[in-house]
mmCIF file of all heavy atoms in Angstrom:
data_model
loop_
_atom_site.group_PDB
_atom_site.id
_atom_site.type_symbol
_atom_site.label_atom_id
_atom_site.label_comp_id
_atom_site.label_asym_id
_atom_site.label_seq_id
_atom_site.Cartn_x
_atom_site.Cartn_y
_atom_site.Cartn_z
ATOM 1 N N VAL M 386 -0.792 21.550 0.471
ATOM 2 C CA VAL M 386 -0.677 21.103 -0.914
ATOM 3 C C VAL M 386 -0.641 19.565 -0.984
ATOM 4 O O VAL M 386 -1.184 18.959 -1.920
ATOM 5 C CB VAL M 386 0.566 21.704 -1.620
ATOM 6 C CG1 VAL M 386 0.389 23.204 -1.794
ATOM 7 C CG2 VAL M 386 1.840 21.387 -0.874
ATOM 8 N N LYS M 398 -2.375 22.669 -11.272
ATOM 9 C CA LYS M 398 -2.991 23.894 -11.790
ATOM 10 C C LYS M 398 -4.154 24.336 -10.903
ATOM 11 O O LYS M 398 -4.298 25.526 -10.583
ATOM 12 C CB LYS M 398 -3.471 23.653 -13.218
ATOM 13 C CG LYS M 398 -4.014 24.885 -13.911
ATOM 14 C CD LYS M 398 -4.386 24.548 -15.344
ATOM 15 C CE LYS M 398 -4.897 25.781 -16.054
ATOM 16 N NZ LYS M 398 -5.286 25.468 -17.449
ATOM 17 N N ILE M 400 -4.710 23.440 -7.745
ATOM 18 C CA ILE M 400 -4.209 23.854 -6.420
ATOM 19 C C ILE M 400 -3.665 25.281 -6.481
ATOM 20 O O ILE M 400 -3.922 26.098 -5.596
ATOM 21 C CB ILE M 400 -3.107 22.884 -5.946
ATOM 22 C CG1 ILE M 400 -3.694 21.492 -5.719
ATOM 23 C CG2 ILE M 400 -2.448 23.393 -4.670
ATOM 24 C CD1 ILE M 400 -2.629 20.415 -5.450
ATOM 25 N N SER M 401 -2.949 25.579 -7.545
ATOM 26 C CA SER M 401 -2.380 26.916 -7.698
ATOM 27 C C SER M 401 -3.476 27.970 -7.737
ATOM 28 O O SER M 401 -3.369 29.045 -7.127
ATOM 29 C CB SER M 401 -1.551 26.990 -8.982
ATOM 30 O OG SER M 401 -0.571 25.983 -8.976
ATOM 31 N N ARG M 402 -4.546 27.653 -8.458
ATOM 32 C CA ARG M 402 -5.645 28.614 -8.571
ATOM 33 C C ARG M 402 -6.325 28.828 -7.217
ATOM 34 O O ARG M 402 -6.610 29.961 -6.825
ATOM 35 C CB ARG M 402 -6.675 28.113 -9.595
ATOM 36 C CG ARG M 402 -7.707 29.156 -9.981
ATOM 37 C CD ARG M 402 -8.595 28.635 -11.098
ATOM 38 N NE ARG M 402 -9.428 27.523 -10.677
ATOM 39 C CZ ARG M 402 -10.585 27.684 -10.023
ATOM 40 N NH1 ARG M 402 -11.013 28.896 -9.753
ATOM 41 N NH2 ARG M 402 -11.295 26.649 -9.656
ATOM 42 N N LEU M 403 -6.538 27.732 -6.499
ATOM 43 C CA LEU M 403 -7.227 27.834 -5.209
ATOM 44 C C LEU M 403 -6.378 28.534 -4.155
ATOM 45 O O LEU M 403 -6.894 29.244 -3.297
ATOM 46 C CB LEU M 403 -7.626 26.446 -4.709
ATOM 47 C CG LEU M 403 -8.745 25.766 -5.505
ATOM 48 C CD1 LEU M 403 -8.887 24.311 -5.088
ATOM 49 C CD2 LEU M 403 -10.051 26.497 -5.303
ATOM 50 N N LEU M 404 -5.079 28.324 -4.236
ATOM 51 C CA LEU M 404 -4.195 28.959 -3.251
ATOM 52 C C LEU M 404 -3.664 30.302 -3.740
ATOM 53 O O LEU M 404 -2.875 30.945 -3.034
ATOM 54 C CB LEU M 404 -3.014 28.028 -2.933
ATOM 55 C CG LEU M 404 -3.381 26.698 -2.267
ATOM 56 C CD1 LEU M 404 -2.122 25.851 -2.031
ATOM 57 C CD2 LEU M 404 -4.087 26.939 -0.940
ATOM 58 N N ALA M 405 -4.094 30.696 -4.932
ATOM 59 C CA ALA M 405 -3.695 31.988 -5.496
ATOM 60 C C ALA M 405 -2.179 32.129 -5.547
ATOM 61 O O ALA M 405 -1.594 33.092 -5.044
ATOM 62 C CB ALA M 405 -4.320 33.125 -4.693
ATOM 63 N N GLN M 406 -1.560 31.123 -6.129
ATOM 64 C CA GLN M 406 -0.120 31.185 -6.297
ATOM 65 C C GLN M 406 0.245 30.565 -7.643
ATOM 66 O O GLN M 406 -0.579 29.930 -8.300
ATOM 67 C CB GLN M 406 0.597 30.443 -5.154
ATOM 68 C CG GLN M 406 0.247 28.967 -5.054
ATOM 69 C CD GLN M 406 0.816 28.317 -3.796
ATOM 70 O OE1 GLN M 406 1.079 28.990 -2.806
ATOM 71 N NE2 GLN M 406 0.982 27.003 -3.832
ATOM 72 N N THR M 407 1.502 30.720 -8.029
ATOM 73 C CA THR M 407 1.902 30.226 -9.337
ATOM 74 C C THR M 407 2.043 28.702 -9.311
ATOM 75 O O THR M 407 2.224 28.095 -8.255
ATOM 76 C CB THR M 407 3.241 30.848 -9.759
ATOM 77 O OG1 THR M 407 4.236 30.449 -8.816
ATOM 78 C CG2 THR M 407 3.158 32.370 -9.776
ATOM 79 N N GLU M 408 1.947 28.126 -10.500
ATOM 80 C CA GLU M 408 2.081 26.664 -10.604
ATOM 81 C C GLU M 408 3.476 26.220 -10.192
ATOM 82 O O GLU M 408 3.650 25.161 -9.567
ATOM 83 C CB GLU M 408 1.780 26.217 -12.029
ATOM 84 C CG GLU M 408 0.309 26.368 -12.385
ATOM 85 C CD GLU M 408 0.012 25.809 -13.778
ATOM 86 O OE1 GLU M 408 0.698 24.873 -14.198
ATOM 87 O OE2 GLU M 408 -0.894 26.330 -14.437
ATOM 88 N N SER M 409 4.472 27.012 -10.542
ATOM 89 C CA SER M 409 5.834 26.627 -10.182
ATOM 90 C C SER M 409 6.009 26.619 -8.668
ATOM 91 O O SER M 409 6.708 25.743 -8.113
ATOM 92 C CB SER M 409 6.837 27.591 -10.840
ATOM 93 O OG SER M 409 6.584 28.915 -10.425
ATOM 94 N N ALA M 410 5.348 27.558 -8.004
ATOM 95 C CA ALA M 410 5.436 27.579 -6.542
ATOM 96 C C ALA M 410 4.774 26.334 -5.958
ATOM 97 O O ALA M 410 5.302 25.721 -5.005
ATOM 98 C CB ALA M 410 4.749 28.836 -6.008
ATOM 99 N N THR M 411 3.639 25.959 -6.536
ATOM 100 C CA THR M 411 2.950 24.757 -6.051
ATOM 101 C C THR M 411 3.808 23.512 -6.281
ATOM 102 O O THR M 411 3.923 22.635 -5.394
ATOM 103 C CB THR M 411 1.599 24.608 -6.785
ATOM 104 O OG1 THR M 411 0.835 25.781 -6.562
ATOM 105 C CG2 THR M 411 0.837 23.393 -6.272
ATOM 106 N N LYS M 412 4.398 23.442 -7.474
ATOM 107 C CA LYS M 412 5.265 22.298 -7.778
ATOM 108 C C LYS M 412 6.435 22.227 -6.799
ATOM 109 O O LYS M 412 6.810 21.153 -6.306
ATOM 110 C CB LYS M 412 5.796 22.418 -9.215
ATOM 111 C CG LYS M 412 4.768 22.076 -10.274
ATOM 112 C CD LYS M 412 5.368 22.262 -11.664
ATOM 113 C CE LYS M 412 4.331 22.005 -12.742
ATOM 114 N NZ LYS M 412 4.841 22.340 -14.082
ATOM 115 N N GLN M 414 6.540 23.431 -3.781
ATOM 116 C CA GLN M 414 6.047 23.053 -2.454
ATOM 117 C C GLN M 414 5.801 21.539 -2.381
ATOM 118 O O GLN M 414 6.116 20.890 -1.366
ATOM 119 C CB GLN M 414 4.755 23.824 -2.125
ATOM 120 C CG GLN M 414 4.997 25.303 -1.825
ATOM 121 C CD GLN M 414 3.709 26.081 -1.709
ATOM 122 O OE1 GLN M 414 2.622 25.556 -1.910
ATOM 123 N NE2 GLN M 414 3.834 27.367 -1.407
#
Side-chain angles (χ1 to χ4, degrees):
Chain M
V386 292
K398 185 177 181 181
I400 295 171
S401 305
R402 191 174 67 82
L403 290 170
L404 296 179
Q406 60 188 24
T407 62
E408 290 185 30
S409 59
T411 302
K412 284 178 183 173
Q414 288 171 356

